[in-house]
DNA sequence: ACATACATGTAAATAGTTACATGATTTC
DNA sequence: GAAATCATGTAACTATTTACATGTATGT
């Protein structure tokens, strides 16, 4: 799913400026997608050229004038086709796990810090997702599902981190003291 | 963690050719890292220039001659520094969750297929990880941990998919039949 | 006969991010 | 007085993948 189509998706939920699309992605898609202004603004220009979105300029008091984009019917049709043709692929890249793979090369104080940081990060992410899930009214069924999905993964990981952090450190201490 | 440093990591476990590094990444790192030949061979050339690896050419019977790389002491030192300075960041990108976010725009037959595919993918990944965990001898503590980490996440997700797939479809049917 | 494994490497294309450029207003 | 929010946009850079180029040997 490229940024162009992600913008169409956000606009399918209602008109928005480039700036507002970025905010929407941060608030509602951040645990599984990201985009910077440097990709959003060129995407909106391309989508305008392609006729998938149109915009009006809206002057504001004490704020810069903004371009408010909305989906054309051609854009809505196109986005439907995208949804029907996109494969449900996923990718996960973890420097944390790379560091764990080479745990035996690092001092135990460093590993203690890494495990603690990761545990904190997971706990924080879990609280963000649970916060949105519990406190937001008017979530679509799909959005509730994406939140529950993130909560399920992070809950599983938090349990593991709590059970295994200290035993991993013990195992590594044993490997260290036992020469081949 | 860029490909250069990932190559150093693989080589810290023993000498290898570019081809063998790719295989090692597929077998031991695939659930949290990836790399293609187009990035591995240039990385090895760069690392050789920098003096972090050296190689010998090994002629083989009935196989092309290969370059067997191994870490220099400078490379080993450098990789240690990389390990000490790398932040334990993670990134997750999911087209599956994007599709779920827009579940209300898709026919229920399509959603049924997507949910089934995702469930199958998670189950398959889980079995791969459990297979390696149970059947491999001589895993390092760090590698066992990376496997358990993947298993914990996927087990949490599989439980969710099994509980929620059908209720999500029901919820969407209700939203569809209830006009605003 | 067709695909897969072995083995190395380059060039073009992809898809972004980061930093820059500009500037008012509001909050801490 | 500094940082954050609002607001748009471009240019340079980064890091990678995909496709190409080449060829033998083995398995199906």
């Amino acid at each position: 799913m490229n940024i162009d189509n992600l913008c169409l998706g956000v606009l399918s939920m209602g008109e928005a400026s480039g700036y507002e699309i970025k905010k929407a992605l941060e608030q509602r898609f951040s645990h599984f997608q990201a985009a910077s202004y440097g990709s959003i603004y060129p995407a909106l220009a391309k989508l305008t050229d392609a006729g998938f979105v149109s915009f009006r300029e809206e002057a504001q008091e004490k704020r810069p004038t903004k371009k408010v984009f909305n989906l054309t019917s051609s854009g809505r049709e196109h986005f439907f086709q995208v949804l029907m043709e996109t494969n449900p692929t996923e990718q996960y890249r973890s420097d944390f796990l790379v560091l764990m793979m080479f745990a035996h090369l690092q001092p135990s104080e460093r590993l203690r810090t890494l495990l603690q940081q990761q545990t904190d990060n997971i706990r924080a992410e879990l609280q963000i997702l649970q916060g949105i899930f519990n406190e937001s009214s008017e979530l679509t069924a799909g959005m509730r599902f994406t939140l529950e999905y993130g909560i399920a993964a992070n809950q599983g990981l938090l349990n593991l981190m709590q059970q295994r952090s200290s035993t991993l450190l013990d195992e590594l201490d044993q490997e260290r003291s036992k020469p081949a």
Side-chain angles (χ1 to χ4, degrees), chain A:
Chain A
M1 181 70 60
N2 61 27
I3 305 281
D4 298 35
N5 293 327
L6 217 48
C7 287
L8 290 180
V10 172
L11 292 175
S12 82
M13 294 163 157
E15 59 172 31
S17 65
Y19 190 87
E20 288 162 351
I21 287 173
K22 175 119 194 293
K23 267 199 308 182
L25 290 173
E26 279 164 4
Q27 286 163 7
R28 302 203 287 268
F29 295 71
S30 66
H31 62 297
F32 58 93
Q33 284 292 327
S36 62
Y37 292 125
S39 57
I40 291 170
Y41 286 115
L44 289 169
K46 243 196 295 176
L47 292 168
T48 304
D49 287 348
F52 293 147
V53 303
S54 61
F55 67 91
R56 62 167 198 280
E57 294 206 314
E58 196 171 278
Q60 297 177 108
E61 293 167 38
K62 307 186 177 180
R63 288 275 165 237
T65 296
K66 64 179 174 180
K67 285 187 181 179
V68 180
F69 291 86
N70 58 314
L71 232 51
T72 62
S73 60
S74 153
R76 200 168 295 273
E77 236 170 84
H78 175 74
F79 185 57
F80 177 74
Q81 283 309 317
V82 168
L83 288 176
M84 296 304 279
E85 286 158 20
T86 298
N87 290 320
T89 56
E90 306 204 285
Q91 73 164 64
Y92 172 65
R93 293 290 162 259
S94 173
D95 279 3
F96 169 68
L97 288 183
V98 173
L99 292 170
M100 288 303 107
M101 188 61 114
F102 300 106
H104 56 284
L105 300 180
Q106 293 169 78
S108 65
E109 197 41 58
R110 161 76 171 159
L111 292 171
R112 211 181 303 278
T113 306
L114 289 173
L115 291 165
Q116 189 57 56
Q117 271 182 47
Q118 185 69 3
T119 305
D120 292 346
N121 290 344
I122 292 168
R123 210 194 315 265
E125 177 72 8
L126 200 49
Q127 263 166 22
I128 289 169
L129 295 175
Q130 283 169 337
I132 300 172
F133 188 84
N134 294 325
E135 287 151 39
S136 303
S137 49
E138 302 210 29
L139 295 175
T140 62
M143 182 159 179
R144 271 199 305 279
F145 182 82
T146 68
L147 291 168
E148 285 178 89
Y149 195 92
I151 289 165
N154 281 293
Q155 190 57 257
L157 291 176
L158 184 58
N159 291 341
L160 180 81
M161 293 300 291
Q162 286 169 344
Q163 286 164 25
R164 283 287 276 124
S165 289
S166 60
T167 58
L168 174 63
L169 291 168
D170 290 346
E171 281 174 35
L172 288 163
D173 280 344
Q174 278 171 30
E175 280 184 12
R176 261 180 259 265
S177 61
K178 174 193 68 187

